[in-house]
Amino acid sequence: MLNENDYPISVQFDFAAGTFDPVQIRDDRRLSDLHMMYHDKDAINCILANEDPLIYELWYHPFETSKSDMALGVTRLLPGKIGDEYHMTKGHIHEQDDQPEIYFCVKGQGYLLLQTIDGEFRAEPWQAGTISHIPPMWAHRVVNTGDEMLVFVASYHLSAGHDYRPIIDKGFRKLVVERDGKPNFVESPRWQ
Ligand code: PAN
Ligand code: ZN
């Protein structure tokens, strides 16, 4: 006997808008949710004194036949900077040590930052059409270095779990900052 969730589901993705329909869950990440991730605390305080800008939206469709089913997530990362640091996702590592993920950049440009717990670091350049495999035990963060919204589709197992603590504690090895109008990688003072 099939339950309601056991039937095939299709959603329609709109490539121009970077949205899909129907969407089950929508969530926002504002500067106040992410302030600990950016290096320029004066810039953060200055912005937050006036407004709490939207940095990214999350659109989800969890498929819930079992706890090892997959989630479909779309992240819509607005262009912009906090001080000289480009808008980025919070970044996390999966709690379960055997859980990978696929990211598919459908709009915009930037970088996917990847890092192991021992500090091995990679930055994958991204443009519309780039598909990246994130192996298990690599923390992942996306940075929007372009002038338009960066949109990517993610698919991962619901059981993967999200651990933000290592990123809150030490961040990534490199910051992506604007220098002379271009993205530049600099060593993070928080990393040791
Ligand atoms: C993605 C991310 C999403 C938002 O669905 O959760 O892009 O990034 P943060 O979770 O780092 O804020 C994913 O990687 N799921 O596993
Ligand atoms: Zn993930």
Side-chain angles (χ1 to χ4, degrees):
M1 185 68 185
L2 293 175
N3 294 314
E4 192 192 340
N5 287 334
D6 293 333
Y7 286 91
I9 299 170
S10 297
V11 300
Q12 191 61 40
F13 194 82
D14 179 333
F15 281 89
T19 56
F20 69 90
D21 185 61
V23 61
Q24 289 249 321
I25 304 168
R26 284 180 57 167
D27 213 351
D28 286 345
R29 293 287 179 271
R30 295 185 174 273
L31 182 58
S32 59
D33 304 313
L34 304 165
H35 62 91
M36 67 298 271
M37 303 300 182
Y38 290 96
H39 80 95
D40 189 339
K41 304 303 175 204
D42 290 342
I44 292 165
N45 291 335
C46 191
I47 296 167
L48 288 178
N50 298 303
E51 52 164 347
D52 188 7
L54 178 67
I55 310 293
Y56 54 100
E57 291 177 2
L58 300 164
W59 293 39
Y60 282 116
H61 204 309
F63 303 108
E64 292 169 315
T65 56
S66 74
K67 66 177 172 16
S68 59
D69 206 340
M70 306 192 78
L72 169 69
V74 170
T75 304
R76 296 163 46 78
L77 182 55
L78 276 71
K81 287 177 285 144
I82 305 300
D84 60 1
E85 197 172 6
Y86 292 96
H87 280 185
M88 59 195 182
T89 58
K90 204 167 182 181
H92 61 268
I93 192 161
H94 292 159
E95 280 167 358
Q96 303 298 323
D97 63 9
D98 62 346
Q99 288 298 319
E101 183 157 3
I102 296 285
Y103 273 5
F104 178 9
C105 177
V106 293
K107 198 175 170 64
Q109 62 179 36
Y111 291 91
L112 167 62
L113 309 186
L114 296 147
Q115 178 171 290
T116 67
I117 218 82
D118 298 328
E120 184 101 17
F121 177 87
R122 289 279 189 288
E124 300 286 311
W126 262 23
Q127 58 186 344
T130 311
I131 302 174
S132 300
H133 175 251
I134 300 164
M137 299 316 285
W138 283 76
H140 37 289
R141 161 180 286 167
V142 173
V143 184
N144 182 353
T145 58
D147 298 330
E148 61 166 335
M149 189 182 283
L150 186 158
V151 180
F152 65 96
V153 179
S155 191
Y156 58 97
H157 285 278
L158 292 173
S159 60
H162 295 73
D163 184 2
Y164 294 93
R165 182 44 60 187
I167 311 302
I168 291 170
D169 288 348
K170 283 174 69 177
F172 279 72
R173 282 186 70 155
K174 300 200 186 209
L175 310 177
V176 190
V177 296
E178 188 186 67
R179 293 283 184 272
D180 302 323
K182 290 197 201 112
N184 226 277
F185 290 86
V186 297
E187 295 293 330
S188 167
R190 284 208 296 143
W191 178 268
Q192 57 230 321

